[in-house]
Amino acid sequence: MPVQTPEFENGENVDFTPPDSTIYAHNMIYPYSSAQIVSHSYMDGANNIVSIALFPLRYNPVTGVVTFANNISISFNYVPSSEQPLYPTKRFAIDTPKYDAYLYNLVENPNDIATHRNLSNIEIDPSGPEDFNYLIICPDDVVDLEQGEENP
């Protein structure tokens, strides 16, 4: 490991991890890149959310030189996907502000959301429940355990 796991304020930490010799023996800057895609996923159908780790400080273990990047540029190359977006067709009115708040609090550049957001024609159902915010989707032949009979 190039770094140890953190020690917590209460003094607890995990056991010492010996340095990774494959990293410390090379006369190269680590991490090798200033930015790395950590994960990507979809929210609300076709809205791709990408998490990026930035490494403005990098270290060469052989020379002992630490470099600091004042500016990191990132570019994305988009390619067509064979996956079809899965848009929700209906949403309860009570959930719409929750989805929007989640999206706007999730990203660092919320001013750009309107430009890049893929919105489907979601039907807002005003008669949705007020005491829960989920919908169970299942086959028509599911047995109602409380009633002990099959639902039509």
Side-chain angles (χ1 to χ4, degrees):
M1 302 248 333
V3 295
Q4 291 298 310
T5 51
E7 184 172 321
F8 300 100
E9 289 183 15
N10 63 3
E12 292 180 17
N13 69 345
V14 295
D15 294 332
F16 176 78
T17 304
D20 185 343
S21 62
T22 60
I23 293 172
Y24 281 92
H26 285 93
N27 189 12
M28 298 175 69
I29 291 179
Y30 183 87
Y32 308 112
S33 176
S34 295
Q36 175 185 3
I37 294 177
V38 176
S39 66
H40 70 90
S41 59
Y42 291 90
M43 180 182 166
D44 234 5
N47 295 298
N48 197 353
I49 305 293
V50 178
S51 296
I52 302 170
L54 299 176
F55 305 105
L57 287 174
R58 300 189 304 159
Y59 174 66
N60 184 324
V62 172
T63 63
V65 173
V66 175
T67 60
F68 176 72
N70 289 324
N71 188 358
I72 298 174
S73 297
I74 301 170
S75 64
F76 293 94
N77 296 321
Y78 295 100
V79 295
S81 173
S82 61
E83 297 179 21
Q84 292 291 79
L86 179 62
Y87 290 110
T89 56
K90 191 180 261 192
R91 179 176 294 150
F92 295 129
I94 194 171
D95 289 335
T96 299
K98 294 175 190 176
Y99 274 91
D100 287 344
Y102 180 67
L103 179 62
Y104 278 83
N105 288 314
L106 181 67
V107 300
E108 284 293 319
N109 53 339
N111 295 337
D112 294 336
I113 290 175
T115 306
H116 301 289
R117 190 173 186 185
N118 293 306
L119 285 176
S120 62
N121 294 324
I122 299 174
E123 178 187 337
I124 304 298
D125 185 355
S127 63
E130 295 185 19
D131 57 345
F132 63 90
N133 63 349
Y134 57 88
L135 175 66
I136 299 173
I137 302 171
C138 56
D140 292 337
D141 60 350
V142 172
V143 174
D144 184 343
L145 296 177
E146 285 186 22
Q147 302 292 328
E149 59 189 48
E150 202 170 284
N151 287 332

